[in-house]
C-alpha cells in the first residue's frame, strides 16, 4: 500500500490555528491520551464562525478555546456548533460552546440521541445484559473486565448536550459565507457520522470517518 501523502508540511501547534482556504481554518486541539490531539475546523460564516467539532469537555479544552476565540476567531462569535459524531473528543465541549455564544447545535439524529443516552449512563455499573452480550460475542475475560471498568465514564469527558439540536441528514446542503457544504453520512466509525464536502473547491471535512491508520 502506498504511504499517505500529506498536502501540507506546515501544521498548527497545540491550540493554534492555520488557514487552509478562504474561510476554512484548521485548529489543533490537544488531548491527554496516547492520541495527543484532534483536528477541529472553523468555517467562516456571515457574522461569525461555524465551529466543527469541539474537543473534550474539560477545563484544559475550555481554556484553549478561550485563546482561540481571540487569536483564531478574532473575537467574532460562533454562529453554529456542528458535531460530526458523538465521541468525546468531538462532542465533549459542544454544550459549553453553545452556551458561550448562544449558538445552536447541529448533529445527525442518531449521534445526538445516542450521545444523550451515553451521558445518562455516567456513574452506572455495567448492566448484566451488556456483559452477557459481549461474552456471547467472544470477548475474552480481559476485554470484559475493561468493558465493566470503563462503563459509565462517558460523561467524564462529555457535558450533557443541549435539549434541542438541528438535525443534519445525508444530502443536506449548508451555505456558509457563500460556500456550500454537502452533508455525507458514513457508518462504521460511529452510527451516523456526518462529513462535509465542498464540491466547488474539492474540500472534505471527514471527522474520523477517514483516518491515517
Amino acid at each position: 500500500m502506498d504511504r499517505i501523502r500529506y498536502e501540507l508540511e506546515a501544521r498548527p501547534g497545540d491550540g493554534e490555528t492555520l488557514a487552509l482556504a478562504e474561510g476554512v481554518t484548521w485548529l489543533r486541539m490537544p488531548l491527554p491520551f496516547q492520541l495527543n490531539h484532534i483536528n477541529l475546523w472553523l468555517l467562516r460564516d456571515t457574522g461569525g464562525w461555524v465551529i466543527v467539532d469541539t474537543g473534550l469537555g474539560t477545563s484544559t479544552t475550555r481554556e484553549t478555546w478561550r485563546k482561540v476565540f481571540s487569536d483564531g476567531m478574532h473575537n467574532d462569535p460562533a454562529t453554529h456548533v456542528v458535531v460530526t459524531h458523538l465521541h468525546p473528543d468531538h462532542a465533549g465541549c459542544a454544550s459549553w460552546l453553545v452556551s458561550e455564544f448562544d449558538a445552536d447545535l447541529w448533529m445527525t439524529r442518531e449521534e445526538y440521541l445516542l450521545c444523550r443516552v451515553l451521558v445518562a449512563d455516567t456513574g452506572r455499573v455495567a448492566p448484566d445484559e451488556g456483559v452477557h452480550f459481549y461474552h456471547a460475542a467472544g470477548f475474552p475475560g480481559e476485554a470484559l473486565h475493561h468493558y465493566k471498568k470503563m462503563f459509565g465514564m462517558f460523561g467524564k469527558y462529555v457535558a450533557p448536550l443541549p435539549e434541542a439540536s438541528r438535525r443534519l441528514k445525508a444530502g443536506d446542503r449548508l451555505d456558509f459565507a457563500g460556500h456550500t457544504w454537502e452533508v455525507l453520512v458514513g457508518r462504521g466509525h460511529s452510527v451516523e457520522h456526518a462529513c462535509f464536502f465542498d464540491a466547488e473547491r474539492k474540500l472534505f471535512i471527514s471527522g474520523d470517518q477517514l483516518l491515517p491508520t
Side-chain angles (χ1 to χ4, degrees), residues 38-124:
I38 180 180
N39 297 318
L40 312 180
W41 308 96
L42 302 170
L43 307 180
R44 222 12 164 154
D45 193 17
T46 303
W49 297 90
V50 178
I51 293 173
V52 181
D53 287 335
T54 72
L56 298 173
T58 65
S59 59
T60 299
T61 301
R62 292 190 291 271
E63 186 60 32
T64 302
W65 269 116
R66 290 187 181 98
K67 295 177 182 176
V68 172
F69 295 161
S70 58
D71 298 341
M73 296 168 61
H74 313 297
N75 293 312
D76 290 335
T79 55
H80 312 290
V81 176
V82 178
V83 173
T84 59
H85 64 295
L86 62 86
H87 292 161
D89 50 341
H90 294 260
C93 210
S95 184
W96 181 77
L97 288 166
V98 165
S99 178
E100 283 291 294
F101 291 103
D102 192 24
D104 52 1
L105 173 67
W106 296 12
M107 294 179 72
T108 62
R109 180 171 61 183
E110 290 183 59
E111 298 290 335
Y112 174 75
L113 293 177
L114 182 54
C115 188
R116 293 194 64 173
V117 168
L118 292 176
V119 169
D121 281 341
T122 300
R124 294 178 55 210

